[in-house]
Amino acid sequence: IAKSMWVSTFHSACVRLLRQEIERLGYSSTFSIYDSADSQKLISRVMETLNIDPKRYPARQFQSMISNAKNELQSPYEFLSKATNQFDTIAADVYTMYEKRLKQANAMDFDDLLFKMHELLQNFPEVLHKYQHKFKYILIDEYQDTNPVQYQIAKLLAAVHENLCVVGDDAQSIYSFRGATIEN
């Protein structure tokens, strides 16, 4: 039984699952994972292509907006649909081209590891079924630091057996900058 247990972070578990299933989303299983610096460089190149002034709109600002959107499960299209001003529209254009460039490079950023896992579970019932039955019992520690996409992944995986145990302390939440919310 111990050999079949998984002990990992959300991100590392998702990488492991994505390596097995990602071809369904048009990526190779050998996809690269971009760190923050790689993502920022790519966003800067996107901004250059779109003729966006980096002094007026820093790449880091777009990177943060894209990260927040992914953690809230917003695709570029959904992000654009919620745009309320010109800056949001520009950010949506950057997000859209950024995603295209990531896919062309067979790469994902750190937030995609969760976002794409959710997309697989949501859009491919056979994948969801497979992992719902693989993970009969799910324990999540430091639950106060989960964000909406992590909550949705856990909810989907636990839906069949309903054996989900979470442990957390709202006074120790440290990842609000990544969208973590105690409301989960």
Side-chain angles (χ1 to χ4, degrees):
I1 292 180
K3 285 184 180 183
S4 64
M5 286 180 55
W6 286 30
V7 179
S8 64
T9 65
F10 265 99
H11 289 87
S12 63
C14 287
V15 168
R16 190 171 169 184
L17 295 172
L18 287 169
R19 295 271 184 222
Q20 296 173 31
E21 307 291 344
I22 198 62
E23 291 177 4
R24 295 169 192 267
L25 295 179
Y27 292 81
S28 161
S29 64
T30 59
F31 62 86
S32 299
I33 302 170
Y34 281 15
D35 65 15
S36 184
D38 295 327
S39 295
Q40 197 168 342
K41 285 177 195 170
L42 180 56
I43 289 169
S44 293
R45 288 195 299 268
V46 165
M47 290 171 58
E48 188 177 309
T49 301
L50 295 173
N51 294 316
I52 298 171
D53 181 5
K55 291 179 183 161
R56 185 170 181 196
Y57 303 110
R60 185 178 300 274
Q61 189 173 11
F62 289 121
Q63 186 178 27
S64 177
M65 292 177 80
I66 292 167
S67 177
N68 290 339
K70 288 180 180 184
N71 287 322
E72 293 287 333
L73 292 169
Q74 291 179 3
S75 68
Y77 175 78
E78 291 162 325
F79 186 84
L80 176 61
S81 73
K82 294 180 181 195
T84 58
N85 56 48
Q86 182 182 4
F87 179 71
D88 288 349
T89 303
I90 293 168
D93 291 341
V94 171
Y95 184 10
T96 300
M97 185 175 282
Y98 173 70
E99 286 302 296
K100 286 179 185 172
R101 297 259 179 102
L102 280 172
K103 192 161 188 178
Q104 288 170 347
N106 193 43
M108 293 182 207
D109 63 25
F110 198 62
D111 298 306
D112 278 328
L113 301 177
L114 302 174
F115 188 81
K116 298 297 182 189
M117 189 69 237
H118 181 268
E119 187 177 345
L120 275 168
L121 296 174
Q122 194 71 31
N123 296 333
F124 295 91
E126 66 280 10
V127 173
L128 176 60
H129 181 265
K130 176 180 175 179
Y131 294 109
Q132 284 175 328
H133 291 279
K134 179 171 184 61
F135 302 116
K136 186 175 179 182
Y137 300 97
I138 300 171
L139 167 66
I140 302 172
D141 193 14
E142 304 295 343
Y143 195 69
Q144 75 277 0
D145 288 324
T146 58
N147 62 29
V149 67
Q150 291 168 321
Y151 168 74
Q152 290 300 323
I153 290 169
K155 186 175 169 183
L156 286 167
L157 290 174
V160 170
H161 298 290
E162 297 183 340
N163 291 320
L164 176 63
C165 178
V166 301
V167 179
D169 180 351
D170 61 345
Q172 293 187 19
S173 182
I174 59 170
Y175 287 108
S176 60
F177 68 95
R178 278 200 195 139
T181 176
I182 193 63
E183 283 74 27
N184 287 342

